[in-house]
Amino acid sequence: MGGGGNLVDGVRRWLFFQRRPSSSSSSNNHDQIQNPPTVSNPNDDEDLKKLTDPSKLRQIKVQQRNHLPMEKKGIPNAEFFTEYGEANRYQIQEVVGKGSYGVVGSAIDTHTGERVAIKKINDVFDHISDATRILREIKLLRLLLHPDVVEIKHIMLPPSRREFRDVYVVFELMESDLHQVIKANDDLTPEHHQFFLYQLLRGLKYVHAANVFHRDLKPKNILANADCKLKICDFGLARVSFNDAPTAIFWTDYVATRWYRAPELCGSFFSKYTPAIDIWSVGCIFAEMLLGKPLFPGKNVVHQLDIMTDFLGTPPPEAISKIRNDKARRYLGNMRKKQPVPFSKKFPKADPSALRLLERLIAFDPKDRPSAEEALADPYFNGLSSKVREPSTQPISKLEFEFERKKLTKDDIRELIYREILEYHPQMLEEYLRGGNQLSFMYPSGVDRFRRQFAHLEENQGPGGRSNALQRQHASLPRERVPASKNETVEERSNDIERRTTAAVASTLDSPKASQQAEGTENGGGGGYSARNLMKSSSISGSKCIGVQSKTNIEDSIVEEQDETVAVKVASLHNS
Ligand SMILES: Nc1ncnc2c1ncn2[C@@H]1O[C@H](COP(=O)(O)OP(=O)(O)OP(=O)(O)O)[C@@H](O)[C@H]1O
């Protein structure tokens, strides 16, 4: 079984800090030198490693990938290799995942013999919002160095500074994700539950200390190895919080996938975000480990609020007042009184101390949820938690995220992404910092070869570019269409698809005209609130998604097209 050893991780990270090439050049790294991240002890994870000893913590089942060499798939290796640059460094093997932004392939790093995951992101600059998301993700992952956060090991140098379109990001390779682990292991023990939650909270403590909110935590965004190691990934929706930043979330600012979305965000995409939204998501993920299925699988926002309150009871008025969206707030305010269900009834087999912590994590009112650090100090982790193993860090420098406040052109973002890539190419970075306009000529690069290799992999691995051997699915949102997996339920898919329709929700919620119209038609202009009313306005994304099962791709693209049109309108409203 592959998978990252914790001690090995620790050593690697320690070495990484020692050799970080561009420390003196980037504003962020300047910060890091002044305030070095505290994961500097190579033995940091030594105690955790002991816990992953099979006699204490049994290995979990992960989907086995069939590592056939490319030749066996009818792709002669020689065809893909060129003689120069980094081209020969990575030997691509197979497709291991697919998300809305690209395909992820496994590969061997021939320099180190390590197995890596390479994410190919195509046509990065077609949409500014996508390019910004990618810039944000690669920047954050460069800055967030922690054993519980997936690591970018390298980014391939594009052939041309001014014309490149694709980006190839090399990650450490993980064997599966938590969604698959929960599905494949119906015999997880209390030790597994505790160890998984511990890692999630430990990673989150570090991420929150950097002032970063992930905002899309869900089992599919937690990578996993058979040795029980977890790592948080997919920071594309994350945000760095600066005190002076505007509090409104704009339409491009998608929030967490519905099932894991905190109640204060339900029905509202214009709320201030706080670290407590990630804590809620971690609570939902923890509950899913205990239950073996999602805790709040809402079919739409109304249903989401209904099932949350069925379990937690109707919240007190001060908690309801924190819901930003008028309609959701009034819907809850007018809801019949419900009593909370005892956690021990819902989770009869769970350890009572696990449930006491869970109850805190999914408190309806965000102010009642503990911070990640506080949660780590919960008695549930007695004997496991220890401050020295739970590093913190300094907030990320504002300078790194100046781009979030500016209106950027495609060329600006291309330059910023290029600059990020140079962090992995120290010599070229030096040249660039010396005034390297000369960098605009074509550099030899492995990227062209990669493009061809990935194309072959996708062509040769069946519909949607999936290897037949690969069962792991992720229903994330297709820019390119990803066919629904056989194993994936309608709800799982509709839950993810909702993110695509956020723009439509935002338009309805944000535009006074639109919401007046919705209210007017629904209520004859009156102020009564019904689930139907809420559905028609604040959760149209949810209602759109209910019928996803029978939709053809064409119908899907109509939905997406409509959303894009609305999104553009909303964007122009904001920009005007
Ligand atoms: N380092 C890795 N090791 C192994 N598999 C990985 C790795 N990174 C990503 N994957 C797999 O590839 C899938 C897609 O990756 P990722 O979520 O980063 O892409 P994305 O395009 O940002 O997805 P999304 O549509 O969820 O935003 C993941 O669900 C996971 O299964």
Side-chain angles (χ1 to χ4, degrees), residues 65 96-104 116-117 119 133 137 150-151 171-177 216 218 220-221 223 233-237 472-478 496 499:
R65 295 189 186 120
V96 297
K98 211 166 180 187
S100 44
Y101 287 82
V103 175
V104 180
V116 293
K119 182 162 161 181
R133 176 182 163 152
E137 177 161 27
V150 74
E151 179 190 338
F171 290 95
E172 55 187 321
L173 180 70
M174 297 289 286
E175 293 168 289
S176 188
D177 61 53
D216 196 18
K218 56 183 174 180
K220 282 179 191 165
N221 284 343
L223 299 172
C233 75
D234 200 351
F235 280 73
L237 299 183
R472 195 172 63 182
Q473 301 294 340
H474 23 86
S476 296
L477 316 176
D496 273 344
R499 276 168 40 189

mmCIF file of all heavy atoms in Angstrom, residues 65 96-104 116-117 119 133 137 150-151 171-177 216 218 220-221 223 233-237 472-478 496 499, ligand 1:
data_model
loop_
_atom_site.group_PDB
_atom_site.id
_atom_site.type_symbol
_atom_site.label_atom_id
_atom_site.label_comp_id
_atom_site.label_asym_id
_atom_site.label_seq_id
_atom_site.Cartn_x
_atom_site.Cartn_y
_atom_site.Cartn_z
ATOM 1 N N ARG A 65 -6.029 1.041 -7.093
ATOM 2 C CA ARG A 65 -5.901 1.432 -8.501
ATOM 3 C C ARG A 65 -5.069 0.395 -9.213
ATOM 4 O O ARG A 65 -4.184 -0.209 -8.651
ATOM 5 C CB ARG A 65 -5.219 2.789 -8.598
ATOM 6 C CG ARG A 65 -6.048 3.864 -7.993
ATOM 7 C CD ARG A 65 -5.417 5.177 -8.336
ATOM 8 N NE ARG A 65 -6.128 6.224 -7.653
ATOM 9 C CZ ARG A 65 -5.555 7.059 -6.777
ATOM 10 N NH1 ARG A 65 -4.281 6.960 -6.523
ATOM 11 N NH2 ARG A 65 -6.264 7.971 -6.205
ATOM 12 N N VAL A 96 -6.520 9.249 -12.039
ATOM 13 C CA VAL A 96 -7.013 8.840 -10.716
ATOM 14 C C VAL A 96 -8.159 9.708 -10.213
ATOM 15 O O VAL A 96 -8.743 9.427 -9.177
ATOM 16 C CB VAL A 96 -5.896 8.821 -9.650
ATOM 17 C CG1 VAL A 96 -4.835 7.809 -9.993
ATOM 18 C CG2 VAL A 96 -5.288 10.200 -9.456
ATOM 19 N N GLY A 97 -8.466 10.759 -10.899
ATOM 20 C CA GLY A 97 -9.567 11.596 -10.433
ATOM 21 C C GLY A 97 -9.914 12.647 -11.461
ATOM 22 O O GLY A 97 -9.163 12.893 -12.408
ATOM 23 N N LYS A 98 -11.074 13.212 -11.260
ATOM 24 C CA LYS A 98 -11.502 14.256 -12.169
ATOM 25 C C LYS A 98 -12.347 15.249 -11.396
ATOM 26 O O LYS A 98 -13.199 14.859 -10.609
ATOM 27 C CB LYS A 98 -12.340 13.625 -13.284
ATOM 28 C CG LYS A 98 -12.200 14.366 -14.591
ATOM 29 C CD LYS A 98 -12.742 13.564 -15.742
ATOM 30 C CE LYS A 98 -12.581 14.360 -17.011
ATOM 31 N NZ LYS A 98 -13.215 13.720 -18.137
ATOM 32 N N GLY A 99 -12.080 16.505 -11.576
ATOM 33 C CA GLY A 99 -12.890 17.527 -10.924
ATOM 34 C C GLY A 99 -13.359 18.503 -11.976
ATOM 35 O O GLY A 99 -13.174 18.270 -13.177
ATOM 36 N N SER A 100 -13.942 19.585 -11.533
ATOM 37 C CA SER A 100 -14.466 20.526 -12.524
ATOM 38 C C SER A 100 -13.338 21.253 -13.232
ATOM 39 O O SER A 100 -13.523 21.816 -14.286
ATOM 40 C CB SER A 100 -15.396 21.521 -11.846
ATOM 41 O OG SER A 100 -14.841 21.964 -10.648
ATOM 42 N N TYR A 101 -12.155 21.251 -12.626
ATOM 43 C CA TYR A 101 -11.068 22.014 -13.227
ATOM 44 C C TYR A 101 -10.067 21.163 -13.967
ATOM 45 O O TYR A 101 -9.134 21.680 -14.567
ATOM 46 C CB TYR A 101 -10.372 22.870 -12.168
ATOM 47 C CG TYR A 101 -11.272 24.004 -11.801
ATOM 48 C CD1 TYR A 101 -12.295 23.825 -10.887
ATOM 49 C CD2 TYR A 101 -11.174 25.220 -12.450
ATOM 50 C CE1 TYR A 101 -13.179 24.845 -10.598
ATOM 51 C CE2 TYR A 101 -12.050 26.237 -12.172
ATOM 52 C CZ TYR A 101 -13.051 26.045 -11.241
ATOM 53 O OH TYR A 101 -13.922 27.047 -10.970
ATOM 54 N N GLY A 102 -10.214 19.883 -13.928
ATOM 55 C CA GLY A 102 -9.270 19.097 -14.696
ATOM 56 C C GLY A 102 -9.165 17.670 -14.250
ATOM 57 O O GLY A 102 -9.866 17.210 -13.357
ATOM 58 N N VAL A 103 -8.255 17.011 -14.925
ATOM 59 C CA VAL A 103 -8.035 15.595 -14.691
ATOM 60 C C VAL A 103 -6.823 15.452 -13.781
ATOM 61 O O VAL A 103 -5.873 16.220 -13.880
ATOM 62 C CB VAL A 103 -7.730 14.915 -16.041
ATOM 63 C CG1 VAL A 103 -7.359 13.459 -15.856
ATOM 64 C CG2 VAL A 103 -8.908 15.050 -16.960
ATOM 65 N N VAL A 104 -6.875 14.464 -12.900
ATOM 66 C CA VAL A 104 -5.718 14.204 -12.051
ATOM 67 C C VAL A 104 -5.160 12.832 -12.435
ATOM 68 O O VAL A 104 -5.889 11.844 -12.471
ATOM 69 C CB VAL A 104 -6.117 14.215 -10.554
ATOM 70 C CG1 VAL A 104 -4.901 13.941 -9.673
ATOM 71 C CG2 VAL A 104 -6.748 15.553 -10.173
ATOM 72 N N VAL A 116 3.424 10.489 -7.504
ATOM 73 C CA VAL A 116 2.808 11.806 -7.349
ATOM 74 C C VAL A 116 1.475 11.845 -8.095
ATOM 75 O O VAL A 116 1.174 10.955 -8.896
ATOM 76 C CB VAL A 116 3.726 12.930 -7.904
ATOM 77 C CG1 VAL A 116 4.991 13.075 -7.067
ATOM 78 C CG2 VAL A 116 4.067 12.696 -9.377
ATOM 79 N N ALA A 117 0.704 12.870 -7.801
ATOM 80 C CA ALA A 117 -0.544 13.103 -8.547
ATOM 81 C C ALA A 117 -0.329 14.387 -9.351
ATOM 82 O O ALA A 117 0.147 15.385 -8.800
ATOM 83 C CB ALA A 117 -1.700 13.277 -7.579
ATOM 84 N N LYS A 119 -2.209 17.239 -11.514
ATOM 85 C CA LYS A 119 -3.516 17.777 -11.910
ATOM 86 C C LYS A 119 -3.310 18.647 -13.142
ATOM 87 O O LYS A 119 -2.517 19.588 -13.121
ATOM 88 C CB LYS A 119 -4.080 18.606 -10.758
ATOM 89 C CG LYS A 119 -5.448 19.195 -10.984
ATOM 90 C CD LYS A 119 -6.015 19.590 -9.627
ATOM 91 C CE LYS A 119 -7.146 20.572 -9.692
ATOM 92 N NZ LYS A 119 -7.631 20.933 -8.346
ATOM 93 N N ARG A 133 -9.579 31.462 -9.362
ATOM 94 C CA ARG A 133 -9.708 30.349 -8.426
ATOM 95 C C ARG A 133 -8.427 29.507 -8.406
ATOM 96 O O ARG A 133 -7.949 29.083 -7.358
ATOM 97 C CB ARG A 133 -10.909 29.492 -8.857
ATOM 98 C CG ARG A 133 -11.054 28.270 -8.017
ATOM 99 C CD ARG A 133 -12.192 27.377 -8.435
ATOM 100 N NE ARG A 133 -11.952 26.068 -7.809
ATOM 101 C CZ ARG A 133 -12.876 25.208 -7.483
ATOM 102 N NH1 ARG A 133 -14.116 25.464 -7.732
ATOM 103 N NH2 ARG A 133 -12.573 24.069 -6.917
ATOM 104 N N GLU A 137 -5.876 28.927 -5.350
ATOM 105 C CA GLU A 137 -5.583 27.601 -4.819
ATOM 106 C C GLU A 137 -4.081 27.326 -4.795
ATOM 107 O O GLU A 137 -3.543 26.848 -3.791
ATOM 108 C CB GLU A 137 -6.311 26.527 -5.635
ATOM 109 C CG GLU A 137 -5.964 25.138 -5.132
ATOM 110 C CD GLU A 137 -6.935 24.048 -5.529
ATOM 111 O OE1 GLU A 137 -7.597 24.198 -6.571
ATOM 112 O OE2 GLU A 137 -7.014 23.048 -4.789
ATOM 113 N N VAL A 150 -2.890 18.960 1.822
ATOM 114 C CA VAL A 150 -2.179 18.355 0.681
ATOM 115 C C VAL A 150 -1.095 19.316 0.187
ATOM 116 O O VAL A 150 -1.262 20.541 0.214
ATOM 117 C CB VAL A 150 -3.175 17.965 -0.437
ATOM 118 C CG1 VAL A 150 -3.687 19.178 -1.192
ATOM 119 C CG2 VAL A 150 -2.539 16.960 -1.396
ATOM 120 N N GLU A 151 0.005 18.737 -0.244
ATOM 121 C CA GLU A 151 1.144 19.577 -0.614
ATOM 122 C C GLU A 151 1.351 19.629 -2.125
ATOM 123 O O GLU A 151 1.293 18.598 -2.802
ATOM 124 C CB GLU A 151 2.398 18.984 0.046
ATOM 125 C CG GLU A 151 3.653 19.753 -0.266
ATOM 126 C CD GLU A 151 4.926 19.028 0.191
ATOM 127 O OE1 GLU A 151 4.852 18.158 1.087
ATOM 128 O OE2 GLU A 151 5.988 19.321 -0.371
ATOM 129 N N PHE A 171 1.182 17.126 -7.125
ATOM 130 C CA PHE A 171 0.859 16.979 -5.701
ATOM 131 C C PHE A 171 1.466 15.687 -5.178
ATOM 132 O O PHE A 171 1.766 14.775 -5.953
ATOM 133 C CB PHE A 171 -0.655 16.832 -5.509
ATOM 134 C CG PHE A 171 -1.457 18.066 -5.792
ATOM 135 C CD1 PHE A 171 -2.025 18.259 -7.040
ATOM 136 C CD2 PHE A 171 -1.674 19.011 -4.811
ATOM 137 C CE1 PHE A 171 -2.795 19.388 -7.307
ATOM 138 C CE2 PHE A 171 -2.432 20.141 -5.065
ATOM 139 C CZ PHE A 171 -2.997 20.325 -6.310
ATOM 140 N N GLU A 172 1.533 15.578 -3.866
ATOM 141 C CA GLU A 172 1.797 14.262 -3.291
ATOM 142 C C GLU A 172 0.586 13.383 -3.633
ATOM 143 O O GLU A 172 -0.546 13.872 -3.689
ATOM 144 C CB GLU A 172 1.989 14.358 -1.778
ATOM 145 C CG GLU A 172 0.826 15.020 -1.052
ATOM 146 C CD GLU A 172 1.086 15.256 0.416
ATOM 147 O OE1 GLU A 172 1.689 14.387 1.047
ATOM 148 O OE2 GLU A 172 0.660 16.311 0.939
ATOM 149 N N LEU A 173 0.842 12.112 -3.894
ATOM 150 C CA LEU A 173 -0.257 11.226 -4.303
ATOM 151 C C LEU A 173 -0.928 10.608 -3.077
ATOM 152 O O LEU A 173 -0.256 10.093 -2.185
ATOM 153 C CB LEU A 173 0.275 10.100 -5.197
ATOM 154 C CG LEU A 173 -0.762 9.099 -5.698
ATOM 155 C CD1 LEU A 173 -1.697 9.737 -6.721
ATOM 156 C CD2 LEU A 173 -0.095 7.873 -6.320
ATOM 157 N N MET A 174 -2.236 10.685 -3.050
ATOM 158 C CA MET A 174 -2.984 10.034 -1.970
ATOM 159 C C MET A 174 -3.812 8.905 -2.588
ATOM 160 O O MET A 174 -4.114 8.907 -3.773
ATOM 161 C CB MET A 174 -3.883 11.051 -1.282
ATOM 162 C CG MET A 174 -3.127 12.194 -0.605
ATOM 163 S SD MET A 174 -2.245 11.691 0.881
ATOM 164 C CE MET A 174 -3.577 11.495 2.049
ATOM 165 N N GLU A 175 -4.202 7.943 -1.743
ATOM 166 C CA GLU A 175 -4.820 6.741 -2.304
ATOM 167 C C GLU A 175 -6.321 6.855 -2.535
ATOM 168 O O GLU A 175 -6.875 6.179 -3.389
ATOM 169 C CB GLU A 175 -4.555 5.557 -1.368
ATOM 170 C CG GLU A 175 -3.096 5.176 -1.315
ATOM 171 C CD GLU A 175 -2.793 4.221 -0.186
ATOM 172 O OE1 GLU A 175 -2.839 4.648 0.971
ATOM 173 O OE2 GLU A 175 -2.517 3.049 -0.473
ATOM 174 N N SER A 176 -6.984 7.665 -1.752
ATOM 175 C CA SER A 176 -8.437 7.721 -1.882
ATOM 176 C C SER A 176 -8.934 9.026 -1.268
ATOM 177 O O SER A 176 -8.154 9.938 -1.027
ATOM 178 C CB SER A 176 -9.051 6.507 -1.170
ATOM 179 O OG SER A 176 -10.437 6.438 -1.429
ATOM 180 N N ASP A 177 -10.227 9.103 -1.056
ATOM 181 C CA ASP A 177 -10.742 10.257 -0.327
ATOM 182 C C ASP A 177 -11.752 9.773 0.707
ATOM 183 O O ASP A 177 -12.206 8.626 0.669
ATOM 184 C CB ASP A 177 -11.325 11.322 -1.279
ATOM 185 C CG ASP A 177 -12.478 10.798 -2.094
ATOM 186 O OD1 ASP A 177 -13.420 10.252 -1.490
ATOM 187 O OD2 ASP A 177 -12.459 10.921 -3.335
ATOM 188 N N ASP A 216 -15.386 24.856 1.720
ATOM 189 C CA ASP A 216 -16.008 23.772 0.960
ATOM 190 C C ASP A 216 -15.541 22.421 1.501
ATOM 191 O O ASP A 216 -15.226 21.517 0.730
ATOM 192 C CB ASP A 216 -15.680 23.920 -0.531
ATOM 193 C CG ASP A 216 -16.612 23.067 -1.400
ATOM 194 O OD1 ASP A 216 -17.695 22.655 -0.916
ATOM 195 O OD2 ASP A 216 -16.254 22.790 -2.561
ATOM 196 N N LYS A 218 -15.830 18.884 2.685
ATOM 197 C CA LYS A 218 -16.760 17.762 2.503
ATOM 198 C C LYS A 218 -15.888 16.515 2.319
ATOM 199 O O LYS A 218 -14.686 16.640 2.020
ATOM 200 C CB LYS A 218 -17.647 18.004 1.277
ATOM 201 C CG LYS A 218 -16.884 18.238 -0.007
ATOM 202 C CD LYS A 218 -17.817 18.534 -1.165
ATOM 203 C CE LYS A 218 -17.021 18.898 -2.401
ATOM 204 N NZ LYS A 218 -17.878 19.198 -3.535
ATOM 205 N N LYS A 220 -15.355 14.482 0.040
ATOM 206 C CA LYS A 220 -14.595 14.360 -1.217
ATOM 207 C C LYS A 220 -13.384 15.282 -1.261
ATOM 208 O O LYS A 220 -12.501 15.090 -2.090
ATOM 209 C CB LYS A 220 -15.505 14.690 -2.409
ATOM 210 C CG LYS A 220 -16.426 13.565 -2.766
ATOM 211 C CD LYS A 220 -17.310 13.960 -3.928
ATOM 212 C CE LYS A 220 -18.404 12.930 -4.102
ATOM 213 N NZ LYS A 220 -19.482 13.377 -4.950
ATOM 214 N N ASN A 221 -13.384 16.283 -0.418
ATOM 215 C CA ASN A 221 -12.235 17.193 -0.394
ATOM 216 C C ASN A 221 -11.236 16.846 0.712
ATOM 217 O O ASN A 221 -10.397 17.648 1.081
ATOM 218 C CB ASN A 221 -12.704 18.648 -0.247
ATOM 219 C CG ASN A 221 -13.271 19.169 -1.557
ATOM 220 O OD1 ASN A 221 -13.018 18.578 -2.605
ATOM 221 N ND2 ASN A 221 -14.030 20.248 -1.505
ATOM 222 N N LEU A 223 -8.526 13.999 1.280
ATOM 223 C CA LEU A 223 -7.840 12.843 0.694
ATOM 224 C C LEU A 223 -7.428 11.897 1.822
ATOM 225 O O LEU A 223 -7.221 12.333 2.964
ATOM 226 C CB LEU A 223 -6.625 13.304 -0.113
ATOM 227 C CG LEU A 223 -6.950 14.233 -1.291
ATOM 228 C CD1 LEU A 223 -5.676 14.790 -1.922
ATOM 229 C CD2 LEU A 223 -7.798 13.522 -2.341
ATOM 230 N N CYS A 233 -7.852 18.975 0.914
ATOM 231 C CA CYS A 233 -7.459 19.467 -0.412
ATOM 232 C C CYS A 233 -8.540 20.406 -0.953
ATOM 233 O O CYS A 233 -9.492 20.732 -0.259
ATOM 234 C CB CYS A 233 -7.207 18.305 -1.385
ATOM 235 S SG CYS A 233 -8.681 17.467 -1.998
ATOM 236 N N ASP A 234 -8.369 20.813 -2.178
ATOM 237 C CA ASP A 234 -9.313 21.657 -2.919
ATOM 238 C C ASP A 234 -9.615 22.982 -2.211
ATOM 239 O O ASP A 234 -10.685 23.183 -1.638
ATOM 240 C CB ASP A 234 -10.616 20.885 -3.198
ATOM 241 C CG ASP A 234 -11.384 21.542 -4.350
ATOM 242 O OD1 ASP A 234 -10.993 22.647 -4.768
ATOM 243 O OD2 ASP A 234 -12.369 20.944 -4.816
ATOM 244 N N PHE A 235 -8.673 23.879 -2.312
ATOM 245 C CA PHE A 235 -8.816 25.203 -1.693
ATOM 246 C C PHE A 235 -9.337 26.235 -2.693
ATOM 247 O O PHE A 235 -9.167 27.437 -2.504
ATOM 248 C CB PHE A 235 -7.477 25.663 -1.099
ATOM 249 C CG PHE A 235 -7.186 25.041 0.239
ATOM 250 C CD1 PHE A 235 -6.825 23.705 0.335
ATOM 251 C CD2 PHE A 235 -7.298 25.781 1.403
ATOM 252 C CE1 PHE A 235 -6.574 23.125 1.575
ATOM 253 C CE2 PHE A 235 -7.049 25.214 2.647
ATOM 254 C CZ PHE A 235 -6.679 23.876 2.736
ATOM 255 N N GLY A 236 -9.974 25.754 -3.747
ATOM 256 C CA GLY A 236 -10.427 26.674 -4.798
ATOM 257 C C GLY A 236 -11.478 27.667 -4.333
ATOM 258 O O GLY A 236 -11.636 28.741 -4.903
ATOM 259 N N LEU A 237 -12.242 27.309 -3.313
ATOM 260 C CA LEU A 237 -13.269 28.242 -2.824
ATOM 261 C C LEU A 237 -12.832 28.948 -1.542
ATOM 262 O O LEU A 237 -13.609 29.694 -0.946
ATOM 263 C CB LEU A 237 -14.578 27.492 -2.546
ATOM 264 C CG LEU A 237 -15.235 26.800 -3.729
ATOM 265 C CD1 LEU A 237 -16.544 26.175 -3.307
ATOM 266 C CD2 LEU A 237 -15.447 27.757 -4.865
ATOM 267 N N ARG A 472 -13.121 5.386 -7.929
ATOM 268 C CA ARG A 472 -13.369 6.570 -7.135
ATOM 269 C C ARG A 472 -14.024 7.640 -7.989
ATOM 270 O O ARG A 472 -13.598 7.914 -9.088
ATOM 271 C CB ARG A 472 -12.049 7.088 -6.580
ATOM 272 C CG ARG A 472 -12.262 8.073 -5.494
ATOM 273 C CD ARG A 472 -10.982 8.428 -4.849
ATOM 274 N NE ARG A 472 -10.092 9.062 -5.796
ATOM 275 C CZ ARG A 472 -8.874 9.439 -5.474
ATOM 276 N NH1 ARG A 472 -8.432 9.224 -4.290
ATOM 277 N NH2 ARG A 472 -8.113 10.017 -6.355
ATOM 278 N N GLN A 473 -15.065 8.204 -7.492
ATOM 279 C CA GLN A 473 -15.789 9.209 -8.246
ATOM 280 C C GLN A 473 -15.850 10.480 -7.451
ATOM 281 O O GLN A 473 -15.807 10.485 -6.246
ATOM 282 C CB GLN A 473 -17.236 8.750 -8.484
ATOM 283 C CG GLN A 473 -17.340 7.461 -9.220
ATOM 284 C CD GLN A 473 -16.832 7.574 -10.633
ATOM 285 O OE1 GLN A 473 -16.742 8.678 -11.166
ATOM 286 N NE2 GLN A 473 -16.489 6.467 -11.214
ATOM 287 N N HIS A 474 -16.000 11.561 -8.169
ATOM 288 C CA HIS A 474 -16.216 12.830 -7.483
ATOM 289 C C HIS A 474 -17.108 13.605 -8.378
ATOM 290 O O HIS A 474 -16.853 13.817 -9.544
ATOM 291 C CB HIS A 474 -14.911 13.550 -7.222
ATOM 292 C CG HIS A 474 -13.911 13.088 -8.170
ATOM 293 N ND1 HIS A 474 -13.785 13.629 -9.385
ATOM 294 C CD2 HIS A 474 -13.100 12.010 -8.119
ATOM 295 C CE1 HIS A 474 -12.885 12.949 -10.044
ATOM 296 N NE2 HIS A 474 -12.471 11.977 -9.315
ATOM 297 N N ALA A 475 -18.196 13.987 -7.815
ATOM 298 C CA ALA A 475 -19.264 14.542 -8.618
ATOM 299 C C ALA A 475 -19.068 16.020 -8.859
ATOM 300 O O ALA A 475 -20.001 16.728 -9.108
ATOM 301 C CB ALA A 475 -20.563 14.339 -7.883
ATOM 302 N N SER A 476 -17.840 16.466 -8.760
ATOM 303 C CA SER A 476 -17.672 17.898 -8.815
ATOM 304 C C SER A 476 -18.072 18.444 -10.167
ATOM 305 O O SER A 476 -18.313 17.719 -11.093
ATOM 306 C CB SER A 476 -16.253 18.241 -8.469
ATOM 307 O OG SER A 476 -16.060 17.844 -7.154
ATOM 308 N N LEU A 477 -18.075 19.736 -10.188
ATOM 309 C CA LEU A 477 -18.872 20.378 -11.202
ATOM 310 C C LEU A 477 -18.204 20.492 -12.524
ATOM 311 O O LEU A 477 -17.125 21.034 -12.634
ATOM 312 C CB LEU A 477 -19.172 21.788 -10.720
ATOM 313 C CG LEU A 477 -19.554 21.667 -9.290
ATOM 314 C CD1 LEU A 477 -19.773 23.009 -8.698
ATOM 315 C CD2 LEU A 477 -20.771 20.816 -9.224
ATOM 316 N N PRO A 478 -18.855 20.015 -13.512
ATOM 317 C CA PRO A 478 -18.221 19.973 -14.796
ATOM 318 C C PRO A 478 -18.208 21.314 -15.511
ATOM 319 O O PRO A 478 -19.261 21.890 -15.732
ATOM 320 C CB PRO A 478 -19.064 18.974 -15.577
ATOM 321 C CG PRO A 478 -20.256 18.699 -14.761
ATOM 322 C CD PRO A 478 -20.168 19.471 -13.500
ATOM 323 N N ASP A 496 -23.830 18.664 -5.498
ATOM 324 C CA ASP A 496 -22.672 19.305 -6.082
ATOM 325 C C ASP A 496 -23.069 20.267 -7.187
ATOM 326 O O ASP A 496 -22.513 21.340 -7.328
ATOM 327 C CB ASP A 496 -21.719 18.255 -6.660
ATOM 328 C CG ASP A 496 -20.766 17.756 -5.589
ATOM 329 O OD1 ASP A 496 -20.671 18.432 -4.557
ATOM 330 O OD2 ASP A 496 -20.154 16.718 -5.804
ATOM 331 N N ARG A 499 -23.707 24.064 -6.731
ATOM 332 C CA ARG A 499 -22.707 25.112 -6.749
ATOM 333 C C ARG A 499 -22.686 25.841 -8.087
ATOM 334 O O ARG A 499 -22.433 27.023 -8.151
ATOM 335 C CB ARG A 499 -21.335 24.524 -6.459
ATOM 336 C CG ARG A 499 -21.113 24.401 -4.987
ATOM 337 C CD ARG A 499 -19.923 23.574 -4.663
ATOM 338 N NE ARG A 499 -18.798 23.819 -5.559
ATOM 339 C CZ ARG A 499 -17.711 23.073 -5.550
ATOM 340 N NH1 ARG A 499 -17.605 22.092 -4.741
ATOM 341 N NH2 ARG A 499 -16.732 23.328 -6.366
HETATM 342 N N1 LIG B 1 -3.114 14.536 -4.474
HETATM 343 C C1 LIG B 1 -4.029 13.704 -4.926
HETATM 344 N N2 LIG B 1 -3.863 12.387 -4.872
HETATM 345 C C2 LIG B 1 -4.799 11.537 -5.339
HETATM 346 N N3 LIG B 1 -5.968 11.919 -5.875
HETATM 347 C C3 LIG B 1 -6.187 13.229 -5.954
HETATM 348 C C4 LIG B 1 -5.252 14.197 -5.495
HETATM 349 N N4 LIG B 1 -5.772 15.436 -5.695
HETATM 350 C C5 LIG B 1 -6.965 15.249 -6.251
HETATM 351 N N5 LIG B 1 -7.228 13.929 -6.413
HETATM 352 C C6 LIG B 1 -8.441 13.346 -6.964
HETATM 353 O O1 LIG B 1 -8.890 14.123 -8.051
HETATM 354 C C7 LIG B 1 -10.196 14.636 -7.781
HETATM 355 C C8 LIG B 1 -10.308 16.039 -8.334
HETATM 356 O O2 LIG B 1 -9.363 16.851 -7.677
HETATM 357 P P1 LIG B 1 -9.750 18.297 -7.132
HETATM 358 O O3 LIG B 1 -10.892 18.172 -6.178
HETATM 359 O O4 LIG B 1 -8.500 18.923 -6.634
HETATM 360 O O5 LIG B 1 -10.174 18.937 -8.511
HETATM 361 P P2 LIG B 1 -11.153 20.133 -8.777
HETATM 362 O O6 LIG B 1 -11.255 20.266 -10.245
HETATM 363 O O7 LIG B 1 -10.671 21.325 -7.994
HETATM 364 O O8 LIG B 1 -12.459 19.535 -8.152
HETATM 365 P P3 LIG B 1 -13.818 20.210 -7.763
HETATM 366 O O9 LIG B 1 -14.657 20.004 -8.944
HETATM 367 O O10 LIG B 1 -14.244 19.390 -6.556
HETATM 368 O O11 LIG B 1 -13.558 21.630 -7.444
HETATM 369 C C9 LIG B 1 -10.359 14.568 -6.269
HETATM 370 O O12 LIG B 1 -11.704 14.366 -5.889
HETATM 371 C C10 LIG B 1 -9.528 13.369 -5.909
HETATM 372 O O13 LIG B 1 -10.294 12.209 -6.053
#
